[in-house]
Coordinates of all heavy atoms in Angstrom, one line a residue:
M1 N 244.8 -208.4 102.0 CA 244.5 -208.3 103.4 C 244.1 -206.9 103.8 O 243.1 -206.7 104.5 CB 245.6 -208.9 104.2 CG 245.3 -208.9 105.7 SD 244.0 -210.0 106.1 CE 243.8 -209.7 107.8
P2 N 244.9 -205.9 103.4 CA 244.5 -204.5 103.8 C 243.2 -204.1 103.3 O 242.4 -203.4 104.0 CB 245.6 -203.7 103.3 CG 246.8 -204.5 103.1 CD 246.2 -205.9 102.8
C3 N 242.8 -204.5 102.1 CA 241.5 -204.2 101.5 C 240.4 -204.8 102.3 O 239.4 -204.1 102.6 CB 241.5 -204.6 100.1 SG 240.0 -204.1 99.2
R4 N 240.6 -206.0 102.7 CA 239.5 -206.7 103.5 C 239.4 -206.0 104.9 O 238.3 -205.8 105.4 CB 239.9 -208.1 103.8 CG 239.7 -209.0 102.5 CD 240.0 -210.4 102.9 NE 240.0 -211.2 101.6 CZ 240.6 -212.4 101.5 NH1 241.2 -212.9 102.5 NH2 240.5 -213.0 100.4
L5 N 240.5 -205.6 105.5 CA 240.5 -204.9 106.7 C 239.8 -203.6 106.6 O 239.0 -203.3 107.5 CB 241.9 -204.7 107.2 CG 242.1 -204.1 108.6 CD1 241.6 -205.0 109.7 CD2 243.6 -203.8 108.8
Y6 N 240.0 -202.9 105.5 CA 239.3 -201.6 105.3 C 237.8 -201.8 105.2 O 237.0 -201.1 105.8 CB 239.9 -200.9 104.1 CG 239.4 -199.6 103.8 CD1 239.6 -198.5 104.7 CD2 238.6 -199.3 102.7 CE1 239.1 -197.3 104.4 CE2 238.1 -198.1 102.5 CZ 238.4 -197.0 103.3 OH 237.9 -195.8 103.1
H7 N 237.4 -202.8 104.4 CA 236.0 -203.1 104.2 C 235.3 -203.5 105.5 O 234.2 -203.1 105.8 CB 235.8 -204.1 103.1 CG 236.0 -203.6 101.8 ND1 236.9 -204.1 100.9 CD2 235.4 -202.5 101.1 CE1 236.9 -203.4 99.8 NE2 236.0 -202.5 99.9
I8 N 236.0 -204.3 106.3 CA 235.5 -204.8 107.6 C 235.3 -203.6 108.5 O 234.3 -203.4 109.2 CB 236.3 -205.9 108.2 CG1 236.2 -207.2 107.4 CG2 236.0 -206.1 109.6 CD1 237.2 -208.2 107.7
F9 N 236.3 -202.7 108.5 CA 236.2 -201.5 109.4 C 235.1 -200.6 109.0 O 234.4 -200.1 109.8 CB 237.6 -200.8 109.3 CG 237.5 -199.5 110.1 CD1 237.6 -199.6 111.5 CD2 237.5 -198.3 109.5 CE1 237.5 -198.4 112.3 CE2 237.5 -197.1 110.2 CZ 237.5 -197.2 111.6
L10 N 234.9 -200.4 107.7 CA 233.8 -199.6 107.2 C 232.5 -200.2 107.6 O 231.6 -199.5 108.0 CB 233.9 -199.3 105.7 CG 234.8 -198.2 105.2 CD1 234.8 -198.2 103.7 CD2 234.3 -196.9 105.7
S11 N 232.3 -201.5 107.4 CA 231.1 -202.1 107.7 C 230.8 -202.1 109.2 O 229.6 -201.7 109.6 CB 231.1 -203.6 107.3 OG 231.3 -203.7 105.9
L12 N 231.8 -202.4 110.0 CA 231.5 -202.3 111.5 C 231.2 -200.9 111.9 O 230.4 -200.7 112.8 CB 232.8 -202.9 112.2 CG 233.0 -204.4 112.1 CD1 234.2 -204.8 112.8 CD2 231.8 -205.1 112.7
A13 N 231.9 -199.9 111.4 CA 231.7 -198.5 111.8 C 230.2 -198.1 111.4 O 229.5 -197.5 112.2 CB 232.7 -197.6 111.2
G14 N 229.8 -198.5 110.2 CA 228.5 -198.2 109.7 C 227.4 -198.8 110.6 O 226.4 -198.2 111.0
I15 N 227.6 -200.1 110.9 CA 226.6 -200.8 111.7 C 226.6 -200.3 113.2 O 225.5 -200.0 113.7 CB 226.9 -202.3 111.7 CG1 226.7 -202.9 110.4 CG2 226.1 -203.1 112.8 CD1 227.2 -204.3 110.2
L16 N 227.8 -200.0 113.7 CA 227.9 -199.5 115.1 C 227.2 -198.1 115.2 O 226.4 -197.9 116.1 CB 229.3 -199.4 115.6 CG 229.5 -198.8 116.9 CD1 229.0 -199.8 118.0 CD2 231.0 -198.5 117.1
F17 N 227.5 -197.3 114.3 CA 226.9 -195.9 114.3 C 225.5 -195.9 113.9 O 224.7 -195.0 114.3 CB 227.8 -194.9 113.5 CG 229.0 -194.5 114.3 CD1 230.2 -195.1 114.0 CD2 228.9 -193.5 115.2 CE1 231.3 -194.7 114.7 CE2 230.0 -193.1 115.9 CZ 231.3 -193.7 115.7
R18 N 225.0 -196.9 113.1 CA 223.6 -197.0 112.8 C 222.8 -197.3 114.1 O 221.8 -196.8 114.3 CB 223.4 -198.0 111.7 CG 221.9 -198.1 111.3 CD 221.7 -199.0 110.2 NE 220.3 -199.1 109.8 CZ 219.8 -199.8 108.9 NH1 220.6 -200.5 108.1 NH2 218.6 -199.8 108.6
I19 N 223.4 -198.3 114.8 CA 222.7 -198.7 116.1 C 222.7 -197.5 117.1 O 221.7 -197.2 117.7 CB 223.4 -199.9 116.7 CG1 223.2 -201.1 115.8 CG2 222.9 -200.2 118.1 CD1 224.1 -202.3 116.2
L20 N 223.9 -196.8 117.2 CA 224.0 -195.6 118.0 C 223.0 -194.5 117.6 O 222.3 -193.9 118.4 CB 225.4 -195.1 118.1 CG 225.7 -193.9 119.0 CD1 225.5 -194.3 120.4 CD2 227.1 -193.4 118.7
G21 N 222.9 -194.3 116.3 CA 222.0 -193.4 115.7 C 220.5 -193.7 116.0 O 219.7 -192.8 116.2
Y22 N 220.2 -195.0 116.0 CA 218.8 -195.4 116.3 C 218.4 -195.0 117.7 O 217.3 -194.5 117.9 CB 218.7 -196.9 116.1 CG 217.4 -197.5 116.5 CD1 216.3 -197.4 115.7 CD2 217.2 -198.2 117.7 CE1 215.1 -197.9 116.0 CE2 216.0 -198.7 118.1 CZ 214.9 -198.6 117.2 OH 213.7 -199.1 117.6
Y23 N 219.3 -195.2 118.7 CA 219.0 -194.8 120.0 C 219.1 -193.3 120.3 O 218.5 -192.9 121.3 CB 220.0 -195.6 121.0 CG 219.7 -197.1 121.1 CD1 220.6 -198.0 120.6 CD2 218.5 -197.5 121.6 CE1 220.3 -199.4 120.6 CE2 218.2 -198.9 121.6 CZ 219.1 -199.8 121.1 OH 218.8 -201.1 121.2
T24 N 219.8 -192.6 119.5 CA 219.9 -191.1 119.7 C 219.0 -190.3 118.9 O 219.0 -189.1 118.9 CB 221.3 -190.6 119.5 OG1 221.7 -190.9 118.2 CG2 222.3 -191.3 120.5
G25 N 218.2 -191.0 118.0 CA 217.2 -190.3 117.2 C 217.8 -189.8 115.9 O 217.2 -188.9 115.3
Q26 N 218.9 -190.3 115.5 CA 219.6 -189.9 114.2 C 219.7 -191.2 113.3 O 220.7 -191.8 113.3 CB 220.9 -189.3 114.4 CG 220.9 -188.1 115.3 CD 222.3 -187.5 115.5 OE1 223.3 -188.2 115.2 NE2 222.4 -186.4 116.2
P27 N 218.7 -191.5 112.6 CA 218.7 -192.8 111.8 C 219.7 -192.9 110.7 O 220.1 -193.9 110.3 CB 217.3 -192.9 111.2 CG 216.8 -191.5 111.2 CD 217.4 -190.8 112.4
L28 N 220.2 -191.7 110.2 CA 221.2 -191.7 109.2 C 222.7 -191.6 109.7 O 223.6 -191.3 108.9 CB 220.9 -190.7 108.1 CG 219.6 -190.8 107.4 CD1 219.4 -189.7 106.4 CD2 219.7 -192.1 106.6
L29 N 222.9 -191.7 111.0 CA 224.2 -191.5 111.5 C 225.3 -192.5 110.9 O 226.4 -192.1 110.6 CB 224.2 -191.6 113.0 CG 225.5 -191.3 113.8 CD1 225.9 -189.9 113.5 CD2 225.4 -191.6 115.2
G30 N 224.9 -193.7 110.8 CA 225.8 -194.7 110.2 C 226.2 -194.4 108.8 O 227.4 -194.5 108.4
A31 N 225.3 -193.9 107.9 CA 225.6 -193.5 106.6 C 226.5 -192.3 106.6 O 227.4 -192.2 105.7 CB 224.3 -193.2 105.8
K32 N 226.3 -191.4 107.5 CA 227.1 -190.2 107.5 C 228.5 -190.5 107.9 O 229.5 -190.0 107.4 CB 226.5 -189.2 108.5 CG 225.2 -188.5 108.1 CD 224.7 -187.6 109.1 CE 223.4 -187.0 108.7 NZ 222.8 -186.1 109.8
V33 N 228.7 -191.4 108.9 CA 230.0 -191.8 109.3 C 230.8 -192.5 108.2 O 231.9 -192.3 108.0 CB 229.9 -192.7 110.6 CG1 231.2 -193.4 110.9 CG2 229.4 -191.9 111.8
V34 N 230.1 -193.4 107.5 CA 230.8 -194.2 106.4 C 231.1 -193.2 105.3 O 232.2 -193.3 104.8 CB 229.8 -195.3 105.9 CG1 230.4 -195.9 104.6 CG2 229.7 -196.4 107.0
A35 N 230.3 -192.2 105.0 CA 230.6 -191.2 104.0 C 231.8 -190.4 104.4 O 232.7 -190.1 103.6 CB 229.4 -190.4 103.7
A36 N 231.8 -190.0 105.7 CA 232.9 -189.2 106.2 C 234.2 -190.0 106.1 O 235.3 -189.5 105.7 CB 232.7 -188.8 107.6
L37 N 234.2 -191.3 106.5 CA 235.4 -192.1 106.4 C 235.9 -192.3 105.0 O 237.1 -192.2 104.7 CB 235.1 -193.5 107.0 CG 235.1 -193.5 108.5 CD1 234.6 -194.9 109.0 CD2 236.4 -193.2 109.1
L38 N 235.0 -192.4 104.0 CA 235.4 -192.6 102.6 C 236.0 -191.3 102.1 O 237.0 -191.3 101.4 CB 234.2 -193.0 101.8 CG 233.7 -194.4 102.0 CD1 232.4 -194.7 101.2 CD2 234.8 -195.4 101.5
M39 N 235.4 -190.1 102.5 CA 235.9 -188.9 102.0 C 237.3 -188.6 102.6 O 238.2 -188.2 101.9 CB 235.0 -187.7 102.4 CG 233.7 -187.7 101.6 SD 232.7 -186.2 101.9 CE 231.9 -186.7 103.4
F40 N 237.5 -188.9 103.9 CA 238.8 -188.7 104.5 C 239.8 -189.6 103.9 O 241.0 -189.2 103.6 CB 238.7 -189.1 106.0 CG 240.0 -189.1 106.7 CD1 240.6 -187.9 107.0 CD2 240.6 -190.3 107.0 CE1 241.9 -187.9 107.7 CE2 241.8 -190.3 107.7 CZ 242.5 -189.1 108.0
A41 N 239.5 -190.9 103.6 CA 240.4 -191.8 103.0 C 240.8 -191.3 101.6 O 242.0 -191.4 101.2 CB 239.9 -193.2 102.9
T42 N 239.9 -190.8 100.8 CA 240.2 -190.3 99.5 C 241.1 -189.1 99.5 O 242.1 -189.0 98.8 CB 238.9 -190.0 98.8 OG1 238.0 -191.1 98.7 CG2 239.1 -189.5 97.4
V43 N 240.8 -188.1 100.4 CA 241.6 -186.9 100.4 C 243.0 -187.2 101.0 O 244.0 -186.7 100.4 CB 240.8 -185.9 101.3 CG1 241.7 -184.7 101.6 CG2 239.6 -185.4 100.6
S44 N 243.1 -188.0 102.0 CA 244.4 -188.3 102.5 C 245.2 -189.1 101.5 O 246.4 -189.0 101.4 CB 244.3 -189.1 103.9 OG 243.6 -190.3 103.7
G45 N 244.6 -190.0 100.7 CA 245.3 -190.7 99.7 C 245.8 -189.8 98.6 O 246.9 -190.0 98.1
I46 N 245.0 -188.8 98.2 CA 245.5 -187.9 97.2 C 246.7 -187.1 97.7 O 247.7 -186.9 97.0 CB 244.3 -187.0 96.8 CG1 243.3 -187.8 96.0 CG2 244.8 -185.8 95.9 CD1 242.0 -187.1 95.7
L47 N 246.6 -186.6 99.0 CA 247.7 -185.8 99.5 C 248.9 -186.7 99.7 O 250.0 -186.2 99.4 CB 247.2 -185.2 100.9 CG 246.2 -184.1 100.8 CD1 245.8 -183.7 102.2 CD2 246.8 -182.9 100.1
M48 N 248.8 -187.9 100.1 CA 249.9 -188.8 100.2 C 250.6 -189.0 98.9 O 251.8 -189.0 98.8 CB 249.5 -190.1 100.9 CG 250.7 -190.9 101.3 SD 250.2 -192.1 102.6 CE 250.3 -193.6 101.8
A49 N 249.8 -189.2 97.8 CA 250.4 -189.4 96.5 C 251.1 -188.1 96.0 O 252.2 -188.2 95.5 CB 249.3 -189.7 95.5
L50 N 250.6 -187.0 96.3 CA 251.3 -185.7 95.9 C 252.6 -185.6 96.7 O 253.6 -185.2 96.1 CB 250.4 -184.5 96.2 CG 249.2 -184.3 95.3 CD1 248.3 -183.2 95.8 CD2 249.6 -184.0 93.9
F51 N 252.6 -185.8 98.0 CA 253.8 -185.7 98.8 C 254.9 -186.7 98.3 O 256.1 -186.4 98.2 CB 253.5 -185.8 100.3 CG 252.7 -184.7 100.8 CD1 251.8 -184.9 101.8 CD2 252.8 -183.4 100.3 CE1 251.1 -183.9 102.4 CE2 252.1 -182.4 100.8 CZ 251.2 -182.6 101.9
L52 N 254.5 -188.0 98.1 CA 255.4 -189.0 97.7 C 256.0 -188.7 96.3 O 257.1 -189.0 96.1 CB 254.8 -190.4 97.8 CG 254.5 -190.9 99.2 CD1 253.7 -192.2 99.1 CD2 255.7 -191.0 100.0
N53 N 255.2 -188.2 95.4 CA 255.6 -187.8 94.1 C 256.7 -186.7 94.2 O 257.7 -186.8 93.5 CB 254.5 -187.4 93.2 CG 254.9 -187.1 91.8 OD1 255.8 -187.7 91.3 ND2 254.2 -186.2 91.2
T54 N 256.5 -185.7 95.0 CA 257.4 -184.7 95.2 C 258.7 -185.2 95.8 O 259.8 -184.8 95.4 CB 256.8 -183.5 96.1 OG1 255.6 -183.1 95.5 CG2 257.7 -182.4 96.2
A55 N 258.6 -186.0 96.8 CA 259.8 -186.6 97.5 C 260.6 -187.4 96.5 O 261.8 -187.4 96.5 CB 259.3 -187.4 98.7
G56 N 259.9 -188.2 95.6 CA 260.7 -189.0 94.7 C 261.5 -188.1 93.7 O 262.6 -188.5 93.4
G57 N 260.9 -187.0 93.3 CA 261.6 -186.1 92.4 C 262.8 -185.5 93.1 O 263.9 -185.3 92.5
A58 N 262.6 -185.2 94.4 CA 263.7 -184.6 95.1 C 264.9 -185.6 95.3 O 266.1 -185.2 95.1 CB 263.2 -184.1 96.5
W59 N 264.6 -186.8 95.6 CA 265.6 -187.9 95.7 C 266.4 -188.0 94.3 O 267.6 -188.2 94.3 CB 265.1 -189.2 96.1 CG 264.9 -189.3 97.6 CD1 263.8 -189.4 98.3 CD2 266.0 -189.5 98.5 NE1 264.0 -189.5 99.6 CE2 265.4 -189.6 99.8 CE3 267.3 -189.5 98.4 CZ2 266.1 -189.7 101.0 CZ3 268.1 -189.7 99.6 CH2 267.5 -189.8 100.8
D60 N 265.6 -188.0 93.2 CA 266.2 -188.2 91.9 C 267.1 -187.0 91.6 O 268.2 -187.2 91.1 CB 265.1 -188.3 90.9 CG 265.7 -188.7 89.5 OD1 266.5 -189.7 89.5 OD2 265.3 -188.1 88.5
N61 N 266.7 -185.8 91.9 CA 267.5 -184.6 91.7 C 268.8 -184.6 92.5 O 269.9 -184.2 92.1 CB 266.7 -183.3 91.9 CG 265.7 -183.1 90.8 OD1 265.7 -183.7 89.7 ND2 264.6 -182.4 91.2
A62 N 268.6 -185.1 93.8 CA 269.8 -185.2 94.7 C 270.8 -186.2 94.1 O 272.0 -185.9 94.1 CB 269.4 -185.6 96.1
K63 N 270.3 -187.3 93.6 CA 271.2 -188.3 93.1 C 272.0 -187.8 91.8 O 273.2 -188.0 91.7 CB 270.4 -189.6 92.7 CG 271.3 -190.7 92.2 CD 270.5 -191.9 91.8 CE 269.6 -191.6 90.7 NZ 269.6 -192.4 89.6
K64 N 271.2 -187.1 91.0 CA 271.9 -186.5 89.8 C 272.9 -185.4 90.2 O 273.9 -185.3 89.5 CB 270.8 -185.9 88.8 CG 270.0 -187.0 88.2 CD 268.9 -186.4 87.3 CE 268.0 -187.5 86.7 NZ 266.9 -186.9 85.9
Y65 N 272.6 -184.7 91.2 CA 273.5 -183.6 91.6 C 274.8 -184.3 92.2 O 275.9 -183.8 91.9 CB 272.9 -182.8 92.7 CG 273.7 -181.8 93.3 CD1 274.2 -180.6 92.6 CD2 274.2 -181.9 94.7 CE1 275.0 -179.7 93.2 CE2 275.0 -180.9 95.2 CZ 275.4 -179.8 94.5 OH 276.2 -178.9 95.1
I66 N 274.7 -185.3 92.9 CA 275.8 -186.0 93.5 C 276.7 -186.7 92.3 O 277.9 -186.7 92.3 CB 275.4 -187.1 94.5 CG1 274.8 -186.4 95.7 CG2 276.6 -187.9 94.9 CD1 274.2 -187.3 96.7
E67 N 276.0 -187.2 91.3 CA 276.7 -187.8 90.2 C 277.5 -186.8 89.3 O 278.3 -187.2 88.6 CB 275.7 -188.5 89.3 CG 275.2 -189.8 89.9 CD 274.1 -190.5 89.1 OE1 273.6 -189.9 88.1 OE2 273.7 -191.6 89.5
T68 N 277.2 -185.5 89.5 CA 278.0 -184.5 88.8 C 279.3 -184.2 89.4 O 280.1 -183.5 88.9 CB 277.2 -183.1 88.7 OG1 277.0 -182.6 90.0 CG2 275.9 -183.3 88.0
G69 N 279.5 -184.8 90.6 CA 280.8 -184.7 91.3 C 280.7 -184.0 92.6 O 281.7 -183.9 93.4
A70 N 279.6 -183.5 93.0 CA 279.4 -182.8 94.3 C 279.3 -183.9 95.4 O 278.8 -185.0 95.1 CB 278.1 -182.0 94.2
L71 N 279.7 -183.5 96.6 CA 279.6 -184.4 97.7 C 280.3 -185.7 97.6 O 279.9 -186.7 98.1 CB 278.2 -184.6 98.1 CG 277.4 -183.3 98.5 CD1 275.9 -183.7 98.7 CD2 277.9 -182.6 99.7
G72 N 281.4 -185.8 96.8 CA 282.1 -187.0 96.6 C 281.9 -187.7 95.3 O 282.7 -188.6 95.0
G73 N 280.9 -187.4 94.6 CA 280.6 -188.1 93.3 C 280.1 -189.5 93.4 O 279.7 -190.0 94.5
K74 N 280.2 -190.2 92.3 CA 279.8 -191.6 92.3 C 280.7 -192.4 93.2 O 281.9 -192.3 93.2 CB 279.8 -192.1 90.8 CG 278.8 -191.6 90.0 CD 278.8 -192.3 88.6 CE 277.6 -191.9 87.8 NZ 277.5 -192.6 86.5
G75 N 280.0 -193.4 93.8 CA 280.7 -194.3 94.7 C 280.9 -193.8 96.1 O 281.3 -194.6 97.0
S76 N 280.6 -192.6 96.4 CA 280.7 -192.1 97.7 C 279.5 -192.5 98.6 O 278.5 -193.1 98.1 CB 280.8 -190.5 97.7 OG 279.5 -190.0 97.3
E77 N 279.6 -192.3 99.9 CA 278.5 -192.6 100.8 C 277.3 -191.8 100.5 O 276.2 -192.4 100.6 CB 279.0 -192.4 102.3 CG 280.0 -193.4 102.8 CD 279.5 -194.8 102.8 OE1 278.4 -195.1 103.2 OE2 280.3 -195.7 102.4
A78 N 277.5 -190.6 100.1 CA 276.3 -189.8 99.8 C 275.6 -190.3 98.5 O 274.4 -190.3 98.5 CB 276.7 -188.3 99.5
H79 N 276.4 -190.8 97.6 CA 275.8 -191.4 96.4 C 275.0 -192.7 96.7 O 273.9 -192.9 96.2 CB 276.9 -191.6 95.3 CG 276.3 -192.1 94.0 ND1 276.5 -193.4 93.6 CD2 275.6 -191.4 93.1 CE1 275.9 -193.5 92.4 NE2 275.4 -192.3 92.0
K80 N 275.6 -193.5 97.6 CA 274.9 -194.7 98.0 C 273.6 -194.4 98.7 O 272.6 -195.1 98.4 CB 275.8 -195.6 98.9 CG 277.0 -196.1 98.2 CD 277.9 -196.9 99.1 CE 279.2 -197.3 98.4 NZ 280.2 -197.9 99.4
A81 N 273.6 -193.4 99.5 CA 272.4 -193.0 100.2 C 271.4 -192.5 99.3 O 270.2 -192.8 99.4 CB 272.7 -192.0 101.3
A82 N 271.8 -191.7 98.3 CA 270.9 -191.2 97.3 C 270.3 -192.2 96.4 O 269.1 -192.2 96.1 CB 271.6 -190.1 96.4
I83 N 271.0 -193.2 96.1 CA 270.5 -194.4 95.3 C 269.5 -195.1 96.1 O 268.4 -195.5 95.6 CB 271.7 -195.3 94.9 CG1 272.5 -194.6 93.8 CG2 271.1 -196.6 94.3 CD1 273.7 -195.4 93.4
T84 N 269.8 -195.4 97.4 CA 268.8 -196.0 98.3 C 267.5 -195.3 98.4 O 266.4 -195.8 98.4 CB 269.4 -196.3 99.7 OG1 270.6 -197.0 99.5 CG2 268.5 -197.0 100.6
G85 N 267.6 -194.0 98.6 CA 266.4 -193.1 98.7 C 265.7 -193.0 97.4 O 264.4 -192.9 97.4
D86 N 266.3 -193.1 96.3 CA 265.7 -192.9 95.0 C 264.9 -194.2 94.5 O 264.0 -194.1 93.8 CB 266.8 -192.6 93.9 CG 266.1 -192.2 92.6 OD1 265.1 -191.6 92.6 OD2 266.7 -192.5 91.5
T87 N 265.3 -195.3 95.1 CA 264.7 -196.6 94.6 C 263.5 -196.9 95.5 O 263.0 -196.4 96.4 CB 265.6 -197.8 94.7 OG1 266.2 -197.8 96.0 CG2 266.7 -197.6 93.6

């Protein structure tokens, strides 16, 4: 469903801005808008993947640190929270 929603949004934005571009004297406005949306989605997806990868490593390191005995060790509330965050 999200993929269909994305394609529908891109198509509608392209068509809408193509019509708007026709009336404002910019016939390629729709193509420019669709290209900009695709570039934005690609860059934001890459950044999100980088941030989530870093966050996952931080949760894993926190869980391992707690398992060494810090902050109550295994079975503590901190350990339960770290396991929840790591998964």
Side-chain angles (χ1 to χ4, degrees):
M1 181 67 186
C3 184
R4 287 183 188 160
L5 184 64
Y6 184 68
H7 285 123
I8 290 170
F9 177 73
L10 275 177
S11 300
L12 288 177
I15 292 168
L16 177 70
F17 280 97
R18 182 176 181 180
I19 293 169
L20 182 66
Y22 176 77
Y23 289 113
T24 60
Q26 299 176 356
L28 294 177
L29 185 62
K32 289 178 183 178
V33 168
V34 170
L37 285 171
L38 288 172
M39 287 186 282
F40 173 76
T42 302
V43 171
S44 63
I46 290 170
L47 287 174
M48 189 155 113
L50 289 172
F51 293 147
L52 290 176
N53 185 30
T54 304
W59 275 110
D60 190 48
N61 290 339
K63 183 181 65 133
K64 289 178 183 176
Y65 176 70
I66 293 169
E67 288 176 350
T68 63
L71 301 173
K74 285 188 177 183
S76 67
E77 289 297 318
H79 187 253
K80 291 176 187 174
I83 289 175
T84 302
D86 190 34
T87 54

